[in-house]
Amino acid sequence: ASRFSPSPWSFATSCACGFPIWFNSIVKLVSSPETCKVRTGLPTRHPMTTSSEPGRSPPLPAEIRLPIILASGSPRRVSVLRQLGIAFEAVTPDIDETPRPGEGPAELAERLARGKATRGRRPGRLAFGFDTLVAHRGDILGKPDSVEDAVAMARRLSGDTHDVYSGVAAATEDRVESLTERTRVRFRALGPGEAEVYASTGEPLDKAGAYGIQGAGASLVSGIEGDFFNVMGFPIQRFLDLLDSFGLRYDFRGITPAMEDA
């Protein structure tokens, strides 16, 4: 496990010199009739599911010790928490990610996120698990098995629209809650040899759908509809929703106990 405590300087640098500068250049709504049909369904948010007795709100833990636990080995999720200035401890849980028969992409992402959060939890601590996958024309696309597989995925997504699903889960010793998010992404039509050149960079090999929107893969994307950070694998608003459900809040400096209304 490793622990990260971001400094105010690192946060300021990322905002002033890094990702947000080019963020606005890539985030735009897809205005085709096909994507407009799904706009009313975004974001896809499943009701909170917990391990408590149905019909009753689970009591808040007497005390949750910080920092939170990030049950993920993803460098993208590490970078988002650092950008937010949130201290955390990282662990990498090992779970079976094989889909179950008849399991849809939202259900699979949520189940895996819950499994990772449950494996990562520690006494008195709040653990967050994530899982992100791509769905295209009824098929779930995970991480490519090889460069050739990455090329095939890029060619498949070329000039078409796909969905990115993320499950987010938070777990203590006696409670688990989870949410899902969906974002629609459209790829431009790729030219001859582009899929091979991109795959040869190595960037897509550890990413669902074989592309990284936060890196060179941004050049493949012609537009998105929904949460950009969900495509990176860290839907920030769902993360904040789960913090709130455990009596915690983000105050732009880090995580603190939520203040009760006067």
Side-chain angles (χ1 to χ4, degrees), residues 53 68 186:
E53 180 180 345
I68 63 170
R186 184 167 186 85

Side-chain angles (χ1 to χ4, degrees), residues 212-232:
I213 198 170
Q214 73 286 346
S219 66
L220 308 177
V221 177
S222 61
I224 74 169
E225 185 176 358
D227 182 359
F228 173 90
F229 288 95
N230 182 48
V231 188
M232 284 183 64

Side-chain angles (χ1 to χ4, degrees), residues 77-91:
R77 296 182 181 119
V78 167
S79 70
V80 172
L81 284 176
R82 285 175 168 170
Q83 180 180 337
L84 294 173
I86 293 176
F88 62 96
E89 179 182 346
V91 300

Side-chain angles (χ1 to χ4, degrees), residues 90-226:
V91 300
T92 305
D94 183 21
I95 69 169
D96 182 5
E97 300 190 8
T98 305
R100 294 171 178 171
E103 193 170 37
E107 292 75 19
L108 174 60
E110 185 172 23
R111 177 174 64 83
L112 296 181
R114 290 173 69 91
K116 293 172 184 178
T118 301
R119 287 288 186 92
R121 60 188 171 184
R122 303 289 185 271
R125 304 283 295 281
L126 180 62
F128 282 87
F130 297 81
D131 192 76
T132 299
L133 51 86
V134 168
H136 180 252
R137 298 186 181 275
D139 294 328
I140 295 175
L141 307 182
K143 298 175 183 178
D145 296 325
S146 63
V147 171
E148 292 74 20
D149 195 21
V151 170
M153 287 187 186
R155 288 176 175 170
R156 173 176 179 154
L157 300 178
S158 174
D160 204 356
T161 300
H162 61 273
D163 292 310
V164 178
Y165 291 88
S166 287
V168 189
T172 59
E173 290 178 276
D174 56 1
R175 181 180 170 197
V176 182
E177 298 204 16
S178 56
L179 294 169
T180 60
E181 183 75 42
R182 183 187 71 167
T183 301
R184 177 147 277 200
V185 181
R186 184 167 186 85
F187 266 27
R188 63 177 174 82
L190 304 185
E194 280 195 283
E196 289 83 357
V197 173
Y198 178 54
S200 71
T201 68
E203 181 180 88
L205 299 182
D206 65 340
K207 298 171 181 65
Y211 73 97
I213 198 170
Q214 73 286 346
S219 66
L220 308 177
V221 177
S222 61
I224 74 169
E225 185 176 358

